[in-house]
Amino acid sequence: MTKQVITANRLDDGLAVFFDTHANWSASITEAAVVEKGEEADTLLATASNADNQLIVVGPYLIDVDQQGGKITPVRYREQIRTLGPSVRPDLGYQAK
């Protein structure tokens, strides 16, 4: 079954963030709540999209991920860029840390 996480952009700085298991937003995908595609994912998305979270983030949505050995990797290239930063400058963005 397909695994998913919820991502959005934080309102105060525009960074990509991920909804974690404690119902908070984290800049690290490694802290994201990983759920199975379907009803469980839809329920988590509803929680991430509630009125309180609309004051913190904009546009929460589900993305498909691979999870192997505790490492979470987005399936789509677009989401990999959002997670790591610019693809042409590995010395910038999240991958530079």
Side-chain angles (χ1 to χ4, degrees):
M1 191 109 201
T2 304
K3 306 258 187 206
Q4 295 187 306
V5 300
I6 297 173
T7 187
N9 288 89
R10 200 164 40 202
L11 285 172
D12 64 353
D13 58 10
L15 290 178
V17 291
F18 304 90
F19 200 64
D20 69 19
T21 56
H22 304 289
N24 294 313
W25 294 96
S26 172
S28 175
I29 194 169
T30 60
E31 298 176 14
V34 180
V35 294
E36 295 288 339
K37 186 175 187 174
E39 187 176 328
E40 185 180 11
D42 293 339
T43 300
L44 191 62
L45 181 59
T47 301
S49 302
N50 69 21
D52 290 337
N53 282 315
Q54 289 181 11
L55 299 173
I56 301 168
V57 298
V58 62
Y61 63 97
L62 292 159
I63 63 170
D64 294 343
V65 295
D66 285 328
Q67 186 178 28
Q68 295 179 1
K71 184 176 180 182
I72 303 168
T73 307
V75 172
R76 295 187 63 211
Y77 187 63
R78 174 185 188 272
E79 302 306 333
Q80 292 172 9
I81 292 171
R82 288 185 76 243
T83 302
L84 297 175
S87 60
V88 295
R89 293 280 310 267
D91 58 318
L92 300 175
Y94 300 120
Q95 75 268 22
K97 295 180 183 179

